[in-house]
Amino acid sequence: IGMKGKYKTGGAVMLLIKGADVYASEHLGKKDVLIAGGKIEKIGDRLPEYEGCQVIDGAGKILIPGIIDRHVHITGGGGEGSFHTQAPPVQLSKLVEGGVTTVVGVLGTDGISRSAENLVAKAKSLKEEGISAYCCCGAYGYPGPTVTGDIRRDIMFVDEILGLKLAISDHRAPNVSVAELTRLASDVRTAGMLSGKAGFVCLHMGSDKRCLGPVFESLENTSIPIKTFHPTHVGRSEELQADAFKFAKMGGTIDFTCGQFEDKFKSVAASLKAAVEEQVPLDKITLSSDGQGSWSNYDEAGNLTEMGVSDVNTVYRQIVYEVKEENMDLEDALIFGTSNVAKALELYPKKGAVREGSDGDVLVLNGDLSMNTVVANGIVMMRDGIICKKGTYEA
């Protein structure tokens, strides 16, 4: 015990959640869920209460997989309005409040003062504090920041690094050629294969007219699998969204960014409706928060006019919005922040599912879908709406 007695290293316990309505993400009905050793040990009816087992009454509540947020600036983003606009690192309690049990950290515009080493260190610290954390090397620029000096070695030898971040079709992007994009994708793909990881290029998509054109050209002229490219922010413009729908129909995964304001929730909901109407495979769509990064608006001359910091609870809030405001079935809404993400990151069913053998990452929601309990790797992080586990230096 240190730091005035607040910091305690604690591991997973045996936990039994009884009689909750389970969505795995498919609806299983009312079940008991036993979590032991950080894993989901058993799902069934009237499971026994073992000695020393903590019991949570799930009657009248809903149990779902933990949220996987695949795009969070865990070391802080921003900085586009000069140094004083750099956003701070994410706090564990904020992730817990948003039901995030697995996070993927990324860098953004600022790959100069923010380093890949710092990003990996933050991912490791979040893991020590209880949740699962991964990251991508690279940033907007090319070549991007790495730990080892080589993208391939980063992915192969740094456990937390799953892929590469790169910006295209954006005024802040490095404007790589199609040949350079193809070479990067090939390197990332190969490193992923050699290390047993997804090995993907997380593409920050800007709003200029090229949209996904460079990616389509690369795919047309090479044998690189489409799953190597993961474009995000694809709802940024009508033209980009049209390209994204084409990309998803070809078998690629596309990612929409949620926002904390009502108009953004409506915008993402409209995009999901459009995807249904255009017969886009819904299992190829994910949601992310862009949390702890900056959102920014520019005038016609490219001058920054407005900036803020994005919340890390918006994937959960978007799912709730889809159910309450758009009348989407919870089973259908959940996939965008759970199983779809896990499959795209090649972490399924370890993550993104409530099934025997999966990691003990579950959320217990009240009947109105408000957050009641958060369990990450078998550790109770929130119970009855009260944070049980905060970051090391949080008050």
Side-chain angles (χ1 to χ4, degrees), residues 70-150:
R70 62 176 303 174
H71 197 107
V72 177
H73 295 271
I74 58 175
T75 56
E80 296 169 18
S82 195
F83 296 101
H84 71 282
T85 65
Q86 290 188 338
V90 72
Q91 292 183 320
L92 176 68
S93 63
K94 294 300 182 183
L95 292 165
V96 173
E97 287 172 359
V100 177
T101 57
T102 302
V103 66
V104 180
V106 293
L107 296 176
T109 316
D110 182 7
I112 303 169
S113 71
R114 302 183 188 276
S115 70
E117 291 88 347
N118 185 231
L119 187 71
V120 171
K122 180 63 176 177
K124 288 179 181 292
S125 75
L126 289 170
K127 287 167 63 178
E128 289 178 356
E129 289 175 339
I131 70 170
S132 299
Y134 303 91
C135 54
C136 292
C137 58
Y140 277 27
Y142 170 72
T146 62
V147 175
T148 66
D150 186 301

Side-chain angles (χ1 to χ4, degrees), residues 147-181:
V147 175
T148 66
D150 186 301
I151 293 164
R152 297 166 299 177
R153 287 185 171 86
D154 270 22
I155 295 171
M156 278 198 68
F157 298 119
V158 182
D159 289 344
E160 292 79 12
I161 296 179
L162 300 180
L164 170 73
K165 171 76 176 289
L166 178 71
I168 65 171
S169 301
D170 191 287
H171 62 95
R172 298 159 293 180
N175 295 306
V176 296
S177 67
V178 173
E180 288 169 328
L181 177 63

Side-chain angles (χ1 to χ4, degrees), residues 17 27 37 46 153 158 203 220 230 244 299 305 317 382:
I17 305 170
H27 189 205
R46 295 182 294 278
R153 287 185 171 86
V158 182
L203 289 171
E220 183 179 353
H230 289 202
D299 61 22
T305 59
R317 289 170 61 196
M382 173 194 287

Side-chain angles (χ1 to χ4, degrees), residues 220-267:
E220 183 179 353
N221 294 296
T222 72
S223 58
I224 295 172
I226 195 170
K227 70 174 186 175
T228 306
F229 297 103
H230 289 202
T232 188
H233 315 316
V234 298
R236 193 182 292 276
S237 70
E238 290 183 7
E239 294 79 11
L240 176 57
Q241 182 167 290
D243 266 10
F245 286 173
K246 173 183 174 182
F247 183 82
K249 289 179 181 180
M250 293 167 59
T253 297
I254 58 176
D255 184 63
F256 285 94
T257 306
C258 305
Q260 57 262 54
F261 303 120
E262 183 74 10
D263 60 341
K264 185 62 175 177
F265 288 119
K266 291 180 179 178
S267 174

